[in-house]
Amino acid sequence: MTPESIPLIKAITLDLDDTLWPIAPAIYRAELALHAWLTVQAPKTAQAFDVAALRAKRDEVALKRPDIAHDFTQVRHESLRLALLESGDDPALSREAFEVFFAARHELELYPEVEDAIRRLASRYPLMALSNGNADIARTMLGPWFRGAISARAFGVGKPDARIFHEACRRLSLEPVQVLHVGDDLELDVLGARNAGLHTFWLRREGCEPMDDARSAGLATVSCLRTLADRLGIPAG
């Protein structure tokens, strides 16, 4: 991304997890809430599967079911169904169990600058969420600033596949060269978007481990979304 290319930008697509909020603590809180619910509603499952074991069951399903591995919601549903079934509880409880998890998964703590930066970015550009995860931007406080969202679950393929980036461009009625994608993952976000013809900024927050990867040479990077708004020339306040 060069200063000369900034005038070409007509919209921004944004990754969600680890771009707008840290995902690990959110998932852990949701897993604790899920296990507390299971302790009351499905005690045999709660006894047989602690938080770590439920996570391992989720990973097992993702590995054994490549047909649904891109769909984090379906993977979580299926892993809960199997855990309930194997423990002797009613597997039909998996739907309610997932809703407990999913509600808690949206109790997010944004990175400090994000709310103000998103407001600034949205004042100039249409924003679209583009995520391989199952977060629903409409269920967050940032929802009003976004024009739309595309998830790997809904679309059928995830980043770095060029098709999901091109679908975002199609929905924005723009060409890839007119869209900027921002995310934290080198492979999924930055290289995927670049290969699809979009402009990119790689979000490398303070504290990120150095990456010894020749593919990262020369990439445009920002340390936070406030810096991104500054680089795009959007005034604060």
Side-chain angles (χ1 to χ4, degrees), residues 134-217:
N134 58 359
D136 181 356
I137 194 67
R139 293 179 66 154
T140 76
M141 64 186 301
L142 301 175
W145 302 111
F146 281 76
R147 298 284 185 89
I150 303 176
S151 68
R153 173 177 183 262
F155 186 62
V157 297
K159 301 175 292 184
D161 193 299
R163 287 173 291 176
I164 194 169
F165 292 103
H166 290 162
E167 176 63 13
C169 297
R170 186 192 70 78
R171 295 190 193 184
L172 291 163
S173 300
L174 295 171
E175 296 298 320
V177 73
Q178 297 175 299
V179 179
L180 170 66
H181 181 71
V182 182
D184 69 290
D185 191 286
L186 174 62
E187 183 72 33
L188 301 181
D189 290 304
V190 183
L191 299 181
R194 282 168 61 90
N195 290 339
L198 284 71
H199 297 284
T200 64
F201 267 114
W202 186 17
L203 183 63
R204 296 282 290 162
R205 291 189 176 276
E206 291 183 13
C208 287
E209 295 182 4
M211 181 168 287
D212 184 17
D213 191 323
R215 300 173 302 168
S216 67

Side-chain angles (χ1 to χ4, degrees), residues 14-146:
L14 285 151
D15 176 53
L16 300 181
D17 295 334
D18 287 332
T19 294
L20 305 185
W21 52 73
I23 187 55
I27 294 297
Y28 184 62
R29 287 192 299 270
E31 288 173 335
L32 290 177
L34 168 63
H35 198 268
W37 184 88
L38 290 171
T39 299
V40 176
Q41 303 296 332
K44 288 184 285 189
T45 303
Q47 184 173 10
F49 290 87
D50 61 12
V51 168
L54 286 172
R55 188 180 299 170
K57 176 62 72 174
R58 176 206 64 188
D59 294 343
E60 176 188 327
V61 169
L63 184 63
K64 291 183 176 180
R65 293 288 307 276
D67 58 314
I68 63 171
H70 67 280
D71 185 341
F72 292 2
T73 292
Q74 195 170 351
V75 167
R76 182 76 65 171
H77 263 301
E78 179 63 7
S79 65
L80 286 169
R81 188 189 71 81
L82 291 174
L84 289 158
L85 184 65
E86 292 171 16
S87 303
D89 284 317
D90 183 359
L93 288 170
S94 62
R95 290 198 172 276
E96 191 174 352
F98 176 79
E99 290 305 322
V100 170
F101 168 85
F102 200 54
R105 185 247 192 277
H106 284 88
E107 295 173 5
L108 301 163
E109 295 181 5
L110 305 178
Y111 287 113
E113 89 291 351
V114 163
E115 185 177 2
D116 179 65
I118 289 294
R119 177 187 57 78
R120 289 172 64 190
L121 293 170
S123 72
R124 180 173 296 179
Y125 301 103
L127 305 182
M128 179 167 288
L130 190 57
S131 177
N132 281 8
N134 58 359
D136 181 356
I137 194 67
R139 293 179 66 154
T140 76
M141 64 186 301
L142 301 175
W145 302 111
F146 281 76

